[in-house]
Amino acid sequence: MCKYSLYVAKKAIFVILLLQYNIVSSMENAKEILNWYILSGITDICSDEPFRVSLAEKSTISEPKNDTVSAIKAVDENGLTKRPAMTLLAQEGQAACLNAVELCQKAQTLDDLKALMEDFSGCSLKFSANSTVFGYGNPQAELMIIGEAPGADEDRMGEPFVGRSGKLLSKMLAAIGIEREDCYITNVLPWRPPGNRTPTDGEVAVCLPFLKRQIELVGPKIILLLGGSAANTLLNCSDSVSSLRGKFVDYTTENGTIIPTLTSYHPAFLLRSAAQKAKAWSDFLRLQRKLEDI
Ligand code: URA
């Protein structure tokens, strides 16, 4: 049976089960529930492999430090609880970021960092994802490639850029004489946002220390940033990808090492906008020349 018929069959079984067990009263309601799941990013109704999700075990966001807690509870001279300068949610986010920075400093190898990331529970995306997608490739690569976040295929397989975008990326690299295995490929986020939605600033901020530490541990000569999200995050700017692409911009690591970065279009964008492929090709030729000069 082809993949699409299997998907339709799974959908039909799901709707029948909802009706059979009186979870919904009509076909219309069943369709609404199904659409709601799809909008929430649940693209697989049932997987071929069983897996266990234990939210209770995983959702332990790091406790805010004691001094932050007392600041929240402080009362004024009238005995009224002072309004916190930051909401609890923002404080939790800030505490998770600080926690991530501290953790990452402990990692002396990529394996250490991978283990710390898999244990980290300060980003809620982890709880809706199937895998923590860590970087892949040569740990001493001269070229590091950074995308935005895993998609459905990457989430299933636990490896970055293995879906349609990844296949296009591999072809573009091969055209300038580079094998996927020769580079180190990673993403700003190691967890897939539900339904591939745009990650929030908070999600990016809490994952950024892991990305920065990966860069330090690999120590590439050049970084290729794919798409506006990767470029804006690493270069800490809000310029459009069309104004950034094709230009070398230096990135400075926490320990002062300067690494040139080159921004280009994300392969997912190129799959939708074939007319932009010529510009991406000229970016890749610039990358090839720079790598030859090193
Ligand atoms: N898009 C990305 O940005 N990263 C991946 O790993 C896959 C698709």
Side-chain angles (χ1 to χ4, degrees):
M1 205 186 319
C2 81
K3 242 180 159 179
Y4 183 70
S5 337
L6 189 63
Y7 178 68
V8 173
K10 283 177 177 178
K11 266 171 93 171
I13 292 169
F14 180 75
V15 169
I16 293 166
L17 288 174
L18 288 176
L19 289 165
Q20 167 127 9
Y21 291 101
N22 290 332
I23 296 169
V24 292
S25 54
S26 70
M27 189 70 180
E28 266 323 291
N29 288 349
K31 276 191 199 154
E32 270 174 27
I33 289 210
L34 193 57
N35 283 338
W36 182 78
Y37 279 140
I38 292 167
L39 278 176
S40 313
I42 301 169
T43 47
D44 283 342
I45 290 153
C46 48
S47 156
D48 296 331
E49 297 290 328
F51 64 89
R52 198 173 65 90
V53 182
S54 165
L55 290 181
E57 260 172 40
K58 289 182 176 179
S59 61
T60 45
I61 291 182
S62 2
E63 289 284 320
K65 296 233 164 75
N66 282 344
D67 52 352
T68 8
V69 173
S70 57
I72 300 164
K73 287 186 181 152
V75 287
D76 68 11
E77 60 284 1
N78 299 316
L80 297 175
T81 307
K82 277 190 192 159
R83 206 170 157 202
M86 253 190 280
T87 63
L88 252 174
L89 195 63
Q91 293 210 9
E92 264 183 17
Q94 202 191 37
C97 287
L98 291 175
N99 186 227
V101 171
E102 265 173 37
L103 279 176
C104 290
Q105 278 160 2
K106 290 186 195 152
Q108 296 307 312
T109 64
L110 285 171
D111 284 343
D112 288 351
L113 191 64
K114 182 169 188 250
L116 289 170
M117 194 185 257
E118 282 167 349
D119 258 12
F120 184 68
S121 42
C123 178
S124 58
L125 289 178
K126 181 177 192 176
F127 308 120
S128 52
N130 284 313
S131 341
T132 298
V133 181
F134 194 70
Y136 164 90
N138 177 358
Q140 277 121 32
E142 292 197 332
L143 174 63
M144 182 160 178
I145 302 175
I146 305 177
E148 178 177 312
D153 293 316
E154 290 75 18
D155 182 47
R156 228 185 327 265
M157 294 172 69
E159 195 178 304
F161 282 102
V162 288
R164 281 184 74 218
S165 304
K167 302 238 162 20
L168 177 58
L169 174 63
S170 298
K171 279 189 197 156
M172 293 166 79
L173 289 170
I176 55 164
I178 301 174
E179 292 299 316
R180 173 182 163 87
E181 284 68 29
D182 296 338
C183 331
Y184 185 86
I185 307 179
T186 194
N187 282 305
V188 172
L189 298 173
W191 297 290
R192 180 192 183 212
N196 293 346
R197 67 160 169 74
T198 305
T200 65
D201 290 349
E203 287 158 356
V204 170
V206 82
C207 294
L208 188 55
F210 291 96
L211 176 66
K212 288 186 168 178
R213 192 68 185 134
Q214 264 184 101
I215 297 173
E216 285 173 353
L217 292 170
V218 174
K221 297 275 189 310
I222 298 184
I223 299 175
L224 174 64
L225 298 168
L226 294 177
S229 176
N232 291 158
T233 303
L234 201 68
L235 304 177
N236 194 20
C237 67
S238 54
D239 303 71
S240 67
V241 65
S242 52
S243 68
L244 289 168
R245 61 147 284 274
K247 294 179 193 145
F248 283 102
V249 178
D250 284 342
Y251 163 74
T252 308
T253 66
E254 303 290 317
N255 53 28
T257 309
I258 296 173
I259 306 172
T261 71
L262 178 71
T263 299
S264 191
Y265 289 124
H266 193 288
F269 170 73
L270 295 175
L271 285 169
R272 297 191 302 270
S273 322
Q276 305 302 323
K277 280 188 181 167
K279 288 183 190 158
W281 176 235
S282 89
D283 299 341
F284 271 58
L285 290 177
R286 286 204 78 189
L287 175 69
Q288 184 184 34
R289 282 196 293 275
K290 185 87 170 178
L291 279 163
E292 283 165 3
D293 287 350
I294 282 171

